[in-house]
Amino acid sequence: MLYLHICMPSKRMMETFISMTRKSMPQDEHKFIFWDTCYENDLCLLDYGNVAALNNYSIKKRRKIMYEEFKKADVLVWHGLILSGRQILMLYLNPSFCKKSVWIVHGIDMYNYVRNSKGFKSSFLNHINYSVRKSMPYVVCLTEDDAKIYKSKFGSCKQLYVIPKPISADVFEQFLPLRNAKDRLNNQLYIQVAHNAYTFNNHIPVMKSLLKFKDENIKLVIPLSYGNDWVNAQNNYINEVIKFAKSAFSNKAECINKLMPQDEYNNLLWNVDVGVFGATRQNAMGNILRLLLVGNKVFLPSD
């Protein structure tokens, strides 16, 4: 059996799963392939063996290679259906690929794939995205609530599993010694607002709820290093978040625009005292679990 894993070329998102697979299963049975460009910081994933990046090929050549890889594989494992229009069209036009697919739902690929702009192109892309998702026979959700939402959106499938996403053992090794850390000497309270720049995090309503504390000894930490979705691109959402944060909280707001190395980001989370997350769906589980692990407070929407 050949399992072909189609995944994001991201060390942050995929290294734990790839390394776990390599330790537990035959390497020649599990191949990982990146459809999109794998950048320098993530090329270390290739060292796990039987991991392929298509950096040196044109978009047209990449589609041809992926088509051939899909045909050879016995099972296609999709780590998030986060695909471009042309990529999802390939699946739509080749239902045999969908019939041997496993969809591991990440979150945004189920909750936020619909394009809200008007016009034929958006309507067509929404249709094929829905059709492909509905045709996947095997689906893995990360939480029970995700499974309920899947059923409400797409009905039933052959097999629906609820399996938590694995977390690297290194995270626990780094965090556990920090659980009894002392308070800061300046008594400043660090408040994290969301963990990326997607609009569903509702950054500005969250910050408005914190305005009552703006004269206290606080510091807002606002990670905006990824998440430039369609709405962001159209409405300059990130700039609006930064503008509001700076005008409302001045130098008490720190907006983070670049991805950090994992150990550096873990250290940032340890330094946070309170995490406030405004998404009304499964989201930020890695951040939330890390914050709870070191005894920090986490606030979520009541719904």
Side-chain angles (χ1 to χ4, degrees):
M1 291 284 286
L2 175 60
Y3 297 85
L4 181 65
H5 299 259
I6 306 96
C7 48
M8 292 167 282
S10 168
K11 177 182 177 182
R12 176 179 57 83
M13 296 293 292
M14 291 305 305
E15 185 171 32
T16 297
F17 188 91
I18 294 175
S19 62
M20 180 186 71
T21 304
R22 287 291 175 258
K23 290 175 183 177
S24 307
M25 302 176 187
Q27 178 174 307
D28 59 348
E29 290 185 7
H30 289 266
K31 181 174 183 177
F32 292 83
I33 192 166
F34 307 134
W35 201 326
D36 298 318
T37 300
C38 183
Y39 294 103
E40 184 176 356
N41 290 340
D42 301 304
L43 288 174
C44 59
L45 294 174
L46 304 182
D47 296 338
Y48 285 98
N50 210 9
V51 180
L54 306 180
N55 289 9
N56 298 323
Y57 299 99
S58 66
I59 293 176
K60 184 177 180 180
K61 180 66 173 178
R62 289 185 192 187
R63 287 202 299 270
K64 183 177 180 181
I65 292 172
M66 294 299 278
Y67 181 84
E68 295 300 324
E69 292 286 348
F70 291 172
K71 284 202 303 183
K72 289 188 293 184
D74 297 296
V75 179
L76 302 176
V77 183
W78 297 89
H79 293 263
L81 279 172
I82 305 169
L83 304 175
S84 69
R86 290 181 177 179
Q87 290 169 346
I88 201 73
L89 182 62
M90 179 192 289
L91 285 181
Y92 180 74
L93 295 176
N94 293 275
S96 62
F97 294 160
C98 292
K99 288 180 181 177
K100 59 180 181 180
S101 285
V102 179
W103 173 22
I104 300 177
V105 178
H106 276 221
I108 191 170
D109 50 335
M110 182 168 71
Y111 290 96
N112 301 95
Y113 73 88
V114 175
R115 299 193 178 205
N116 294 318
S117 54
K118 297 181 180 179
F120 173 77
K121 181 178 179 180
S122 292
S123 297
F124 178 67
L125 286 173
N126 288 340
H127 167 70
I128 64 174
N129 267 289
Y130 176 83
S131 299
V132 166
R133 284 161 170 77
K134 186 175 175 60
S135 67
M136 295 280 175
Y138 305 100
V139 179
V140 178
C141 291
L142 304 182
T143 70
E144 292 285 355
D145 282 331
D146 276 0
K148 293 176 184 176
I149 296 295
Y150 169 84
K151 291 177 183 178
S152 70
K153 286 177 176 286
F154 305 105
S156 60
C157 59
K158 282 186 178 179
Q159 296 289 336
L160 178 62
Y161 302 93
V162 176
I163 305 173
K165 189 175 182 179
I167 297 177
S168 171
D170 294 342
V171 170
F172 295 96
E173 291 174 3
Q174 182 179 355
F175 269 56
L176 287 175
L178 303 175
R179 296 187 73 183
N180 297 316
K182 296 178 180 179
D183 294 336
R184 293 182 197 85
L185 294 177
N186 63 5
N187 293 318
Q188 195 173 40
L189 188 80
Y190 279 44
I191 304 173
Q192 178 180 345
V193 176
H195 75 300
N196 61 35
Y198 284 112
T199 55
F200 53 72
N201 287 296
N202 299 308
H203 296 82
I204 293 177
V206 168
M207 285 189 284
K208 286 181 177 179
S209 74
L210 297 170
L211 279 173
K212 66 185 79 172
F213 307 112
K214 69 176 183 177
D215 295 324
E216 303 290 334
N217 192 17
I218 64 170
K219 181 173 183 177
L220 265 58
V221 179
I222 311 168
L224 299 168
S225 53
Y226 72 96
N228 188 27
D229 62 9
W230 303 306
V231 179
N232 284 349
Q234 293 171 359
N235 300 335
N236 291 317
Y237 179 75
I238 294 176
N239 291 336
E240 290 298 317
V241 171
I242 295 173
K243 181 179 177 181
F244 182 88
K246 293 301 182 183
S247 64
F249 295 93
S250 187
N251 61 350
K252 292 183 178 181
E254 179 184 354
C255 298
I256 300 170
N257 296 309
K258 293 184 178 180
L259 281 172
M260 297 179 177
Q262 190 64 64
D263 57 347
E264 186 178 337
Y265 189 70
N266 284 339
N267 193 58
L268 172 72
L269 292 179
W270 166 65
N271 273 292
V272 167
D273 300 291
V274 177
V276 187
F277 299 89
T280 54
R281 65 158 176 84
Q282 175 267 98
N283 188 45
M285 289 196 292
N287 280 248
I288 290 170
L289 289 172
R290 286 168 170 84
L291 290 171
L292 294 175
L293 183 63
V294 290
N296 296 329
K297 289 185 172 63
V298 173
F299 291 87
L300 305 175
S302 59
D303 56 349

